[in-house]
Amino acid sequence: MKIPEASTSISETVRYAVREGVALIVIDSAPVNGLGDTVRRGIFEALKRAAASADVKAVALLGAGKVFCGGADIRQFNTPAAKAYPMLRDVNRAIERCVKPVVACIHGVALGGGLELALACHFRIADRAAKLGLPEVNLGLVPGGGGTQRLPRLIGVTDAVLLVTSGKHVSAKEALSLGLVDEIFEGDRVHAVITFALAKASSNQPLPVLADRHVQKGELPDFEALLKGVNSKSRNAIAQRTAIACAESAAQLPFEQGLDKERALFDELVAGTPSKALRHMFFAERESAKFIPANMDVTARTVRSVGILGAGTMGGGIAMAFANAGIPVVLCEREQAALDRGMALIERNYQISVSRGGMTADAVQTRIQRIQTTLDMSAFADVDLVIEAVFEDMAVKRDVFAQLDRICKQNAILATNTSRLNINEIAVATQRPEDVIGLHFFSPANVMKLLEVVRGDKTSDAVISACMQMAVSIGKIPVLVGVCEGFVGNRMLTGYWREAGFLLEEGATVPQIDAAMQNFGFAMGPLAMADLAGMDINWATRKRLAPTRPAHLRYSKVADRICEQGRFGQKTSAGYYRYEAGNRTPIPDPFVEELIEQCAREAGIERRAITDEEIVERCVLALVNEGARIVDEGVAQRGSDVDVVYVNGYGFPAWRGGPMFYAQTLGWKQVLEKIRDLHIKHGEHWVPAPWIEKQAVAQPD
């Protein structure tokens, strides 16, 4: 039995029909049946109709299409529609007080407000493939429709806190074991819910209403310990702590007062910058994955098999990313010893996952079997995509691509994992530049989500489409970027490190700079990050670019001098910091401080006291100004793409929304004023980007 087409429209997004004495209230608001104002109004009015009808014995709530309900319509947040009557609280109260059994029939997903809607129902049944959860913390929020009050009353406080603070989805089987659903069904959902609803209607048992239940006091967790257990560096730490406070109120307050507290805390989070930033990132990450070809008839190529040249840390990580997604890989190296080291590292990484309980030994074996090893590049003859991950040298890469051009089949995609070299120069080494693209994975490639997809001047739309789709299929967040030195992320990093070097010469210390940026919210400071990445890599880049550097521009020699001492970071146990054997903890080194003072003297710089505020302002605004130039030049399609790159690839705090969103929260006029002031004080590096000037002009007074 299908959801009836012959039904009455109660609102623009809710349909109503009666079948065998069961009122079917169907949410029909593609794509995810979000709880916008018309959905809430439609359910509310349909309940009234069902309650008043003598022909209706029970009520079933269903979703049209692929899901039951994906939750609130977050595009309506901070708009009048979000607070239009009836609110979800009103709808849920009407469901609970209905004298006829109300059954939620869950298929696809019941997430956020969708699960809160189901919790208000007297009963819940779920398709075997359904997923349920309260993921609001991922947007810097807590459930605002009673989830933190009803869920503890249904499954206990401990399990409820875990579900709400993790934001994770549970399967129908897990939901049944938790007591979150009453029954699992397979097959036709309308038939299943009618059968279940009629059985409940004929049982004459009191209807279970979660609002009337009390939380079992003997099962309460240590709320103080839960609060202390929240990782302060988590992107959603504020929301997690708030969710715990909401769950505690469920144990301490009457139901309606608990709802009041939950809603007050929800409204506070909605209005706050951290949640706005996380919601910005939610949409930005989805927008960045979209690519619209110039010719809409273009068909993306399909990537069913992948070849990877280079079994080092990067190549091995890329191989794992594809193997994890079920895509077979041919991994090639020049020497057997290098290939053996690469596979050993892959196996070691997988065993770490097993030891942490994230993967079974059988799953690891399945993934490893997807990776075929070879010393012969001719094994790439039939793969759909080849990614080279060899030494970062233009001559080496051009030679590799000339060979791939001869070996690979027609329409194979030829990709380079270069982090900053010119894709167009690499493509010239082939007879098919339209098939050449950059796929800049971030290390460790099996973990990091970001993927810069670099289009060359001649890269075809079919290749771009294929790579954007492939990225999503292997769990990456793709950002389409153009060709320039360092693309988006590394190009911006140059200015970030530049200001850190200048600040060192002017009087800041290495630990002070890193601490200031960590306190701002970065995962690690710029100098500790340089040590981790390997200072020799960027030293080589600086030497390569030295002939193009304008002689009149200020240049800090601190990083070069450190490298000249053979100090390349953690790999040599010394860089900006020193490191003890077997320990990655950075230790401040007086030698480096003396070297910095020497560089300052040679540059004629009088050192002074530097505040943490100045460190943050100069380092972050350097990112903002360069990011704006990147948008100006069309290297990035939109400002939000810059945010996606920096949050997912470079540790910018997600709860600040990325450099461009953060600048927006400061106010573009204020940002422009600060950059102009820095231009006056520190010279040509700080010429304001035209894009910032445009944003400042457009900013309302």
Side-chain angles (χ1 to χ4, degrees):
M1 185 184 299
K2 296 181 179 179
I3 289 181
E5 294 295 331
S7 54
T8 303
S9 293
I10 302 295
S11 73
E12 301 93 313
T13 51
V14 173
R15 294 189 278 120
Y16 179 91
V18 178
R19 295 291 183 271
E20 300 177 37
V22 177
L24 304 178
I25 301 175
V26 182
I27 305 171
D28 192 2
S29 181
V32 296
N33 292 332
L35 289 168
D37 55 330
T38 61
V39 170
R40 300 193 306 271
R41 174 164 48 84
I43 296 172
F44 194 72
E45 294 300 325
L47 281 166
K48 288 182 182 178
R49 181 176 296 192
S53 173
D55 296 331
V56 172
K57 301 174 185 176
V59 180
L61 195 59
L62 307 95
K66 296 181 179 180
V67 302
F68 169 69
C69 178
D73 185 343
I74 61 177
R75 293 186 185 275
Q76 291 188 352
F77 284 4
N78 303 116
T79 71
K83 295 190 176 182
Y85 183 85
M87 299 285 286
L88 183 57
R89 180 171 178 172
D90 304 310
V91 174
N92 287 343
R93 184 184 292 112
I95 291 172
E96 285 182 321
R97 298 309 166 193
C98 183
V99 296
K100 300 173 182 180
V102 182
V103 184
C105 180
I106 299 168
H107 78 291
V109 299
L111 300 176
L115 181 55
E116 290 178 298
L117 185 71
L119 288 170
C121 296
H122 304 121
F123 305 99
R124 289 152 296 281
I125 65 172
D127 179 86
R128 187 167 296 280
K131 300 286 186 181
L132 299 83
L134 294 169
E136 286 88 346
V137 292
N138 296 326
L139 297 178
L141 298 171
V142 293
T148 67
Q149 304 305 298
R150 289 187 177 88
L151 192 63
R153 288 169 163 81
L154 180 63
I155 67 173
V157 177
T158 300
D159 286 334
V161 167
L162 182 61
L163 193 63
V164 175
T165 56
S166 70
K168 292 181 179 178
H169 307 171
V170 296
S171 66
K173 183 178 179 181
E174 292 173 287
L176 184 65
S177 67
L178 285 169
L180 187 51
V181 299
D182 300 288
E183 183 177 290
I184 293 176
F185 67 87
E186 293 184 87
D188 185 82
R189 60 183 183 276
V190 175
H191 174 75
V193 76
I194 288 175
T195 302
F196 185 93
L198 289 175
K200 293 302 179 183
S202 63
S203 71
N204 295 318
Q205 295 293 317
L207 296 176
V209 176
L210 293 179
D212 295 339
R213 289 188 186 178
H214 297 288
V215 172
Q216 298 300 312
K217 300 289 185 179
E219 302 173 0
L220 297 182
D222 183 339
F223 289 104
E224 191 65 32
L226 289 174
L227 288 169
K228 290 180 180 178
V230 174
N231 184 349
S232 61
K233 293 184 178 181
S234 295
R235 61 195 288 166
N236 55 5
I238 295 171
Q240 288 181 307
R241 292 192 190 99
T242 305
I244 293 168
C246 287
E248 187 174 11
S249 72
Q252 296 176 342
L253 299 175
F255 182 73
E256 290 296 329
Q257 290 182 32
L259 288 182
D260 290 340
K261 180 169 183 179
E262 176 195 76
R263 189 67 202 189
L265 292 172
F266 172 86
D267 288 342
E268 185 178 313
L269 291 174
V270 166
T273 299
S275 177
K276 289 179 181 177
L278 289 173
R279 276 145 42 206
H280 162 76
M281 291 306 303
F282 176 85
F283 288 116
E285 288 169 2
R286 281 147 187 79
E287 190 69 20
S288 74
K290 297 176 182 176
F291 171 67
I292 301 175
N295 179 358
M296 296 302 291
D297 294 330
V298 165
T299 301
R301 302 180 192 178
T302 303
V303 177
R304 297 190 181 90
S305 58
V306 177
I308 298 169
L309 182 61
T313 301
M314 184 58 76
I318 296 172
M320 290 178 69
F322 283 101
N324 291 343
I327 297 174
V329 173
V330 178
L331 183 61
C332 181
E333 259 290 359
R334 291 182 302 174
E335 300 174 356
Q336 188 64 45
L339 196 55
D340 291 343
R341 283 195 302 272
M343 286 305 298
L345 179 59
I346 288 171
E347 292 180 12
R348 187 158 63 247
N349 286 337
Y350 275 132
Q351 289 308 317
I352 290 172
S353 295
V354 172
S355 66
R356 292 174 177 171
M359 196 178 294
T360 65
D362 287 344
V364 166
Q365 194 57 36
T366 298
R367 285 160 170 77
I368 289 177
Q369 287 174 353
R370 293 185 183 126
I371 303 174
Q372 171 193 337
T373 59
T374 183
L375 299 177
D376 186 356
M377 284 176 62
S378 64
F380 293 154
D382 293 321
V383 300
D384 300 312
L385 165 67
V386 177
I387 304 170
E388 66 78 14
V390 300
F391 187 66
E392 192 80 337
D393 178 87
M394 179 60 75
V396 172
K397 291 186 184 292
R398 285 170 60 89
D399 179 62
V400 163
F401 271 77
Q403 294 180 64
L404 293 176
D405 190 29
R406 295 191 295 270
I407 292 169
C408 295
K409 67 182 181 182
Q410 184 180 3
N411 285 334
I413 300 169
L414 310 183
T416 172
N417 182 55
T418 181
S419 60
R420 54 172 64 244
L421 296 180
N422 191 315
I423 307 297
N424 297 320
E425 290 185 28
I426 295 173
V428 168
T430 75
Q431 299 299 310
R432 40 171 144 174
E434 69 280 2
D435 292 338
V436 177
I437 196 166
L439 294 177
H440 178 207
F441 287 82
F442 286 70
S443 186
N446 54 305
V447 176
M448 295 290 282
K449 292 285 190 181
L450 180 64
L451 177 62
E452 284 184 320
V453 178
V454 190
R455 64 185 306 168
D457 290 345
K458 296 186 178 180
T459 308
S460 74
D461 282 1
V463 167
I464 296 169
S465 293
C467 289
M468 297 294 278
Q469 292 176 22
M470 171 277 296
V472 173
S473 73
I474 65 172
K476 302 301 181 187
I477 301 171
V479 179
L480 183 61
V481 304
V483 174
C484 68
E485 176 64 38
F487 313 133
V488 171
N490 283 341
R491 173 172 163 178
M492 290 170 64
L493 193 60
T494 299
Y496 183 57
W497 273 331
R498 178 198 75 218
E499 287 305 307
F502 289 170
L503 286 160
L504 287 174
E505 290 180 327
E506 291 167 31
T509 67
V510 171
Q512 182 192 6
I513 289 175
D514 281 344
M517 299 315 298
Q518 280 190 286
N519 290 337
F520 177 78
F522 272 87
M524 62 169 42
L527 307 176
M529 179 173 66
D531 276 0
L532 177 64
M535 294 183 67
D536 53 325
I537 298 171
N538 284 291
W539 188 34
T541 299
R542 291 193 299 275
K543 287 187 287 188
R544 174 171 59 83
L545 297 176
T548 65
R549 187 168 60 242
H552 69 284
L553 285 181
R554 180 182 170 190
Y555 179 77
S556 171
K557 296 181 179 179
V558 171
D560 293 349
R561 291 285 178 83
I562 292 173
C563 290
E564 287 166 5
Q565 303 300 315
R567 300 169 64 112
F568 300 146
Q570 290 188 14
K571 66 174 69 175
T572 58
S573 298
Y576 282 104
Y577 298 91
R578 65 179 181 85
Y579 301 86
E580 295 180 347
N583 193 333
R584 293 189 173 188
T585 303
I587 302 170
D589 193 338
F591 173 82
V592 172
E593 294 302 324
E594 291 175 9
L595 187 151
I596 292 167
E597 291 177 10
Q598 180 183 341
C599 288
R601 284 194 300 272
E602 292 175 5
I605 296 170
E606 185 176 342
R607 305 191 82 210
R608 59 186 173 87
I610 304 286
T611 66
D612 289 359
E613 290 74 17
E614 181 179 355
I615 291 169
V616 169
E617 181 173 281
R618 285 172 61 177
C619 288
V620 174
L621 290 185
L623 293 174
V624 171
N625 203 34
E626 196 62 34
R629 290 192 184 284
I630 285 168
V631 179
D632 269 324
E633 296 168 13
V635 174
Q637 298 182 89
R638 51 188 81 87
S640 61
D641 284 357
V642 173
D643 290 335
V644 172
V645 168
Y646 248 77
V647 166
N648 291 289
Y650 294 86
F652 196 96
W655 53 272
R656 292 192 187 273
M660 313 314 284
F661 184 85
Y662 173 68
Q664 181 182 317
T665 66
L666 294 178
W668 286 110
K669 289 180 179 178
Q670 292 80 356
V671 167
L672 179 58
E673 184 179 335
K674 288 176 182 292
I675 290 176
R676 283 174 173 167
D677 185 52
L678 289 166
H679 183 203
I680 293 169
K681 291 178 180 177
H682 300 288
E684 197 174 326
H685 287 299
W686 285 103
V687 173
W691 193 78
I692 293 178
E693 295 176 331
K694 293 174 189 174
Q695 305 310 305
V697 169
Q699 179 182 316
D701 292 326

